[in-house]
Amino acid sequence: MSLIDTHAHLDFRQFDADREAVLKRAQAAGVAALVNVGTDLASSRRAVALAGQYKQIYAAVGMHPHDAKELDGAALAELRKLAQQPNVVAVGEIGLDFYRDRSPRDAVSYTHLRAHET
């Protein structure tokens, strides 16, 4: 059976020294593909770049609810553009996350609603 890791953050700098080794270990363990999830614009850009560099990495682009206060028209436009890249398979981190309340609730709700517009 092949496995897919649907939520990875291999773009984090903690993986800079051994990213290739991590991917090899994942493959040896039966993980055929990984979805690297962006949490903001910078990490979404990195996720797309990694997906272009490694055949087993796919990208998800989005803005985590904790950073919803930073989602404006320009950020949303860039996320939409990133989402059109060939190895992008999902939009996320998005949603409603009130556990830590790092962004105003109306901004978090706005992020959720705007992400679902066509």
Short mmCIF file of all heavy atoms in Angstrom, two decimals, residues 3-8 10 18-36 47-60 87 89:
data_model
loop_
_atom_site.label_atom_id
_atom_site.label_comp_id
_atom_site.label_asym_id
_atom_site.label_seq_id
_atom_site.Cartn_x
_atom_site.Cartn_y
_atom_site.Cartn_z
N LEU A 3 1.25 5.25 0.72
CA LEU A 3 0.70 6.25 1.63
C LEU A 3 0.93 7.65 1.09
O LEU A 3 1.89 7.89 0.36
CB LEU A 3 1.36 6.11 3.00
CG LEU A 3 1.25 4.75 3.68
CD1 LEU A 3 2.09 4.72 4.93
CD2 LEU A 3 -0.20 4.43 3.99
N ILE A 4 0.06 8.57 1.49
CA ILE A 4 0.22 9.98 1.17
C ILE A 4 0.15 10.76 2.48
O ILE A 4 -0.82 10.64 3.22
CB ILE A 4 -0.87 10.48 0.21
CG1 ILE A 4 -0.79 9.72 -1.12
CG2 ILE A 4 -0.75 11.99 -0.02
CD1 ILE A 4 -1.94 10.02 -2.07
N ASP A 5 1.19 11.53 2.75
CA ASP A 5 1.18 12.42 3.90
C ASP A 5 0.48 13.70 3.45
O ASP A 5 1.00 14.43 2.61
CB ASP A 5 2.60 12.71 4.36
CG ASP A 5 2.67 13.61 5.59
OD1 ASP A 5 1.68 14.30 5.88
OD2 ASP A 5 3.72 13.62 6.24
N THR A 6 -0.69 13.96 3.99
CA THR A 6 -1.50 15.08 3.50
C THR A 6 -1.22 16.40 4.21
O THR A 6 -1.85 17.41 3.89
CB THR A 6 -3.00 14.77 3.64
OG1 THR A 6 -3.32 14.61 5.03
CG2 THR A 6 -3.38 13.53 2.85
N HIS A 7 -0.28 16.40 5.15
CA HIS A 7 -0.01 17.64 5.87
C HIS A 7 1.42 17.66 6.39
O HIS A 7 1.70 17.22 7.49
CB HIS A 7 -0.99 17.80 7.04
CG HIS A 7 -1.02 19.19 7.58
ND1 HIS A 7 -2.13 19.99 7.49
CD2 HIS A 7 -0.07 19.94 8.19
CE1 HIS A 7 -1.87 21.17 8.04
NE2 HIS A 7 -0.62 21.15 8.48
N ALA A 8 2.30 18.19 5.55
CA ALA A 8 3.72 18.32 5.91
C ALA A 8 4.14 19.78 5.80
O ALA A 8 3.48 20.58 5.14
CB ALA A 8 4.57 17.44 5.00
N LEU A 10 7.64 20.65 5.03
CA LEU A 10 9.04 20.41 4.68
C LEU A 10 9.77 21.68 4.26
O LEU A 10 10.99 21.66 4.11
CB LEU A 10 9.15 19.35 3.59
CG LEU A 10 8.71 17.96 4.01
CD1 LEU A 10 8.73 17.02 2.82
CD2 LEU A 10 9.60 17.43 5.12
N ASP A 18 18.54 18.45 6.14
CA ASP A 18 18.32 17.03 5.84
C ASP A 18 17.03 16.73 5.09
O ASP A 18 16.49 15.64 5.16
CB ASP A 18 18.37 16.21 7.14
CG ASP A 18 17.21 16.53 8.08
OD1 ASP A 18 16.52 17.55 7.88
OD2 ASP A 18 17.00 15.74 9.01
N ARG A 19 16.54 17.69 4.33
CA ARG A 19 15.27 17.52 3.61
C ARG A 19 15.31 16.29 2.70
O ARG A 19 14.39 15.50 2.65
CB ARG A 19 14.95 18.78 2.81
CG ARG A 19 13.59 18.77 2.16
CD ARG A 19 13.25 20.12 1.52
NE ARG A 19 13.06 21.14 2.55
CZ ARG A 19 13.88 22.17 2.74
NH1 ARG A 19 14.93 22.35 1.96
NH2 ARG A 19 13.64 23.05 3.70
N GLU A 20 16.41 16.13 1.98
CA GLU A 20 16.52 14.98 1.06
C GLU A 20 16.50 13.67 1.83
O GLU A 20 15.87 12.70 1.41
CB GLU A 20 17.80 15.10 0.23
CG GLU A 20 17.88 16.41 -0.53
CD GLU A 20 17.96 16.25 -2.02
OE1 GLU A 20 18.10 15.12 -2.51
OE2 GLU A 20 17.86 17.28 -2.70
N ALA A 21 17.15 13.63 2.98
CA ALA A 21 17.16 12.41 3.79
C ALA A 21 15.76 12.12 4.33
O ALA A 21 15.33 10.96 4.39
CB ALA A 21 18.16 12.55 4.95
N VAL A 22 15.04 13.17 4.71
CA VAL A 22 13.66 12.99 5.18
C VAL A 22 12.81 12.39 4.07
O VAL A 22 12.03 11.46 4.29
CB VAL A 22 13.07 14.34 5.66
CG1 VAL A 22 11.57 14.24 5.89
CG2 VAL A 22 13.78 14.81 6.92
N LEU A 23 12.95 12.90 2.86
CA LEU A 23 12.19 12.37 1.74
C LEU A 23 12.55 10.92 1.44
O LEU A 23 11.67 10.09 1.14
CB LEU A 23 12.40 13.24 0.50
CG LEU A 23 11.77 14.63 0.58
CD1 LEU A 23 12.24 15.51 -0.57
CD2 LEU A 23 10.25 14.53 0.60
N LYS A 24 13.81 10.58 1.54
CA LYS A 24 14.23 9.20 1.32
C LYS A 24 13.66 8.28 2.39
O LYS A 24 13.21 7.17 2.09
CB LYS A 24 15.76 9.10 1.27
CG LYS A 24 16.35 9.65 0.00
CD LYS A 24 17.85 9.55 -0.02
CE LYS A 24 18.40 10.20 -1.27
NZ LYS A 24 19.86 10.21 -1.30
N ARG A 25 13.67 8.72 3.63
CA ARG A 25 13.10 7.90 4.71
C ARG A 25 11.59 7.72 4.52
O ARG A 25 11.05 6.65 4.73
CB ARG A 25 13.39 8.51 6.08
CG ARG A 25 14.82 8.36 6.52
CD ARG A 25 15.01 8.66 8.00
NE ARG A 25 14.51 9.96 8.42
CZ ARG A 25 15.22 11.08 8.43
NH1 ARG A 25 16.48 11.09 8.01
NH2 ARG A 25 14.67 12.21 8.84
N ALA A 26 10.94 8.79 4.10
CA ALA A 26 9.50 8.70 3.85
C ALA A 26 9.21 7.69 2.74
O ALA A 26 8.33 6.84 2.87
CB ALA A 26 8.93 10.08 3.49
N GLN A 27 9.97 7.76 1.67
CA GLN A 27 9.78 6.84 0.55
C GLN A 27 10.05 5.40 1.00
O GLN A 27 9.28 4.49 0.67
CB GLN A 27 10.70 7.22 -0.61
CG GLN A 27 10.47 6.40 -1.85
CD GLN A 27 11.29 6.88 -3.02
OE1 GLN A 27 12.28 7.60 -2.85
NE2 GLN A 27 10.89 6.51 -4.22
N ALA A 28 11.09 5.19 1.77
CA ALA A 28 11.41 3.85 2.27
C ALA A 28 10.30 3.30 3.17
O ALA A 28 10.09 2.09 3.24
CB ALA A 28 12.74 3.87 3.02
N ALA A 29 9.57 4.20 3.84
CA ALA A 29 8.48 3.79 4.72
C ALA A 29 7.16 3.62 3.97
O ALA A 29 6.14 3.33 4.59
CB ALA A 29 8.32 4.82 5.84
N GLY A 30 7.17 3.82 2.65
CA GLY A 30 5.97 3.63 1.86
C GLY A 30 5.18 4.88 1.57
O GLY A 30 4.06 4.81 1.04
N VAL A 31 5.74 6.04 1.89
CA VAL A 31 5.06 7.31 1.61
C VAL A 31 5.39 7.71 0.17
O VAL A 31 6.52 8.07 -0.12
CB VAL A 31 5.47 8.41 2.61
CG1 VAL A 31 4.77 9.72 2.26
CG2 VAL A 31 5.15 7.98 4.03
N ALA A 32 4.40 7.61 -0.68
CA ALA A 32 4.61 7.88 -2.10
C ALA A 32 4.57 9.37 -2.43
O ALA A 32 5.18 9.81 -3.40
CB ALA A 32 3.56 7.15 -2.92
N ALA A 33 3.82 10.14 -1.63
CA ALA A 33 3.67 11.57 -1.91
C ALA A 33 3.42 12.31 -0.61
O ALA A 33 2.92 11.74 0.36
CB ALA A 33 2.53 11.81 -2.88
N LEU A 34 3.79 13.59 -0.62
CA LEU A 34 3.56 14.46 0.53
C LEU A 34 2.94 15.76 0.04
O LEU A 34 3.33 16.26 -1.02
CB LEU A 34 4.87 14.81 1.23
CG LEU A 34 5.66 13.64 1.81
CD1 LEU A 34 6.79 13.28 0.88
CD2 LEU A 34 6.19 14.01 3.17
N VAL A 35 2.01 16.28 0.80
CA VAL A 35 1.44 17.60 0.51
C VAL A 35 2.05 18.57 1.49
O VAL A 35 1.83 18.47 2.70
CB VAL A 35 -0.10 17.59 0.61
CG1 VAL A 35 -0.65 18.99 0.32
CG2 VAL A 35 -0.71 16.57 -0.34
N ASN A 36 2.85 19.49 0.98
CA ASN A 36 3.48 20.50 1.80
C ASN A 36 2.53 21.69 1.88
O ASN A 36 2.18 22.29 0.87
CB ASN A 36 4.82 20.93 1.20
CG ASN A 36 5.64 21.68 2.20
OD1 ASN A 36 6.30 21.08 3.02
ND2 ASN A 36 5.61 23.01 2.14
N ALA A 47 6.24 26.27 -0.57
CA ALA A 47 5.58 24.99 -0.85
C ALA A 47 5.51 24.75 -2.36
O ALA A 47 5.78 23.64 -2.83
CB ALA A 47 4.18 24.97 -0.23
N VAL A 48 5.15 25.78 -3.10
CA VAL A 48 5.07 25.67 -4.56
C VAL A 48 6.46 25.39 -5.14
O VAL A 48 6.62 24.55 -6.03
CB VAL A 48 4.44 26.92 -5.18
CG1 VAL A 48 4.56 26.92 -6.70
CG2 VAL A 48 2.97 27.03 -4.77
N ALA A 49 7.47 26.07 -4.61
CA ALA A 49 8.84 25.86 -5.10
C ALA A 49 9.30 24.42 -4.83
O ALA A 49 9.89 23.78 -5.72
CB ALA A 49 9.80 26.85 -4.44
N LEU A 50 9.04 23.91 -3.63
CA LEU A 50 9.42 22.52 -3.33
C LEU A 50 8.68 21.54 -4.23
O LEU A 50 9.26 20.54 -4.68
CB LEU A 50 9.13 22.19 -1.87
CG LEU A 50 10.14 22.69 -0.84
CD1 LEU A 50 9.66 22.36 0.57
CD2 LEU A 50 11.51 22.09 -1.09
N ALA A 51 7.41 21.80 -4.49
CA ALA A 51 6.64 20.92 -5.36
C ALA A 51 7.21 20.90 -6.77
O ALA A 51 7.13 19.89 -7.47
CB ALA A 51 5.18 21.34 -5.38
N GLY A 52 7.82 21.99 -7.18
CA GLY A 52 8.46 22.04 -8.48
C GLY A 52 9.82 21.35 -8.50
O GLY A 52 10.30 20.93 -9.54
N GLN A 53 10.41 21.22 -7.33
CA GLN A 53 11.76 20.65 -7.22
C GLN A 53 11.75 19.15 -6.99
O GLN A 53 12.66 18.45 -7.43
CB GLN A 53 12.48 21.36 -6.07
CG GLN A 53 13.93 20.99 -5.92
CD GLN A 53 14.60 21.79 -4.81
OE1 GLN A 53 14.01 22.68 -4.19
NE2 GLN A 53 15.84 21.48 -4.54
N TYR A 54 10.75 18.63 -6.28
CA TYR A 54 10.71 17.22 -5.92
C TYR A 54 9.43 16.59 -6.44
O TYR A 54 8.34 17.07 -6.16
CB TYR A 54 10.75 17.04 -4.39
CG TYR A 54 12.02 17.54 -3.76
CD1 TYR A 54 12.06 18.81 -3.17
CD2 TYR A 54 13.16 16.76 -3.73
CE1 TYR A 54 13.22 19.27 -2.58
CE2 TYR A 54 14.33 17.22 -3.13
CZ TYR A 54 14.35 18.48 -2.56
OH TYR A 54 15.50 18.94 -1.97
N LYS A 55 9.57 15.47 -7.16
CA LYS A 55 8.40 14.86 -7.79
C LYS A 55 7.40 14.30 -6.79
O LYS A 55 6.22 14.20 -7.09
CB LYS A 55 8.82 13.77 -8.77
CG LYS A 55 9.47 12.58 -8.12
CD LYS A 55 9.82 11.52 -9.13
CE LYS A 55 10.42 10.33 -8.36
NZ LYS A 55 10.25 9.09 -9.03
N GLN A 56 7.82 13.96 -5.58
CA GLN A 56 6.89 13.38 -4.61
C GLN A 56 6.22 14.43 -3.72
O GLN A 56 5.39 14.09 -2.88
CB GLN A 56 7.56 12.29 -3.76
CG GLN A 56 8.58 12.78 -2.77
CD GLN A 56 10.01 12.78 -3.31
OE1 GLN A 56 10.26 13.25 -4.41
NE2 GLN A 56 10.93 12.28 -2.52
N ILE A 57 6.57 15.70 -3.90
CA ILE A 57 5.96 16.77 -3.10
C ILE A 57 4.93 17.53 -3.94
O ILE A 57 5.19 17.91 -5.08
CB ILE A 57 7.02 17.76 -2.56
CG1 ILE A 57 7.97 17.06 -1.60
CG2 ILE A 57 6.34 18.94 -1.86
CD1 ILE A 57 9.05 17.96 -1.04
N TYR A 58 3.76 17.70 -3.34
CA TYR A 58 2.71 18.54 -3.89
C TYR A 58 2.49 19.68 -2.91
O TYR A 58 2.92 19.61 -1.76
CB TYR A 58 1.42 17.73 -4.10
CG TYR A 58 1.62 16.66 -5.14
CD1 TYR A 58 2.12 15.41 -4.78
CD2 TYR A 58 1.34 16.89 -6.47
CE1 TYR A 58 2.34 14.42 -5.73
CE2 TYR A 58 1.54 15.91 -7.43
CZ TYR A 58 2.05 14.68 -7.04
OH TYR A 58 2.26 13.72 -8.00
N ALA A 59 1.82 20.72 -3.34
CA ALA A 59 1.66 21.90 -2.48
C ALA A 59 0.20 22.19 -2.20
O ALA A 59 -0.68 21.93 -3.02
CB ALA A 59 2.30 23.12 -3.14
N ALA A 60 -0.02 22.75 -1.02
CA ALA A 60 -1.28 23.39 -0.66
C ALA A 60 -0.91 24.83 -0.31
O ALA A 60 0.11 25.08 0.34
CB ALA A 60 -1.94 22.71 0.54
N ASN A 87 1.53 21.85 -9.59
CA ASN A 87 1.67 20.88 -8.50
C ASN A 87 0.91 21.28 -7.24
O ASN A 87 1.13 20.69 -6.18
CB ASN A 87 3.14 20.63 -8.18
CG ASN A 87 3.83 19.91 -9.33
OD1 ASN A 87 3.21 19.16 -10.05
ND2 ASN A 87 5.11 20.16 -9.49
N VAL A 89 -2.33 21.09 -5.16
CA VAL A 89 -3.46 20.17 -5.13
C VAL A 89 -4.53 20.54 -4.11
O VAL A 89 -5.55 19.88 -4.02
CB VAL A 89 -2.98 18.72 -4.86
CG1 VAL A 89 -2.10 18.23 -6.01
CG2 VAL A 89 -2.25 18.62 -3.53
#
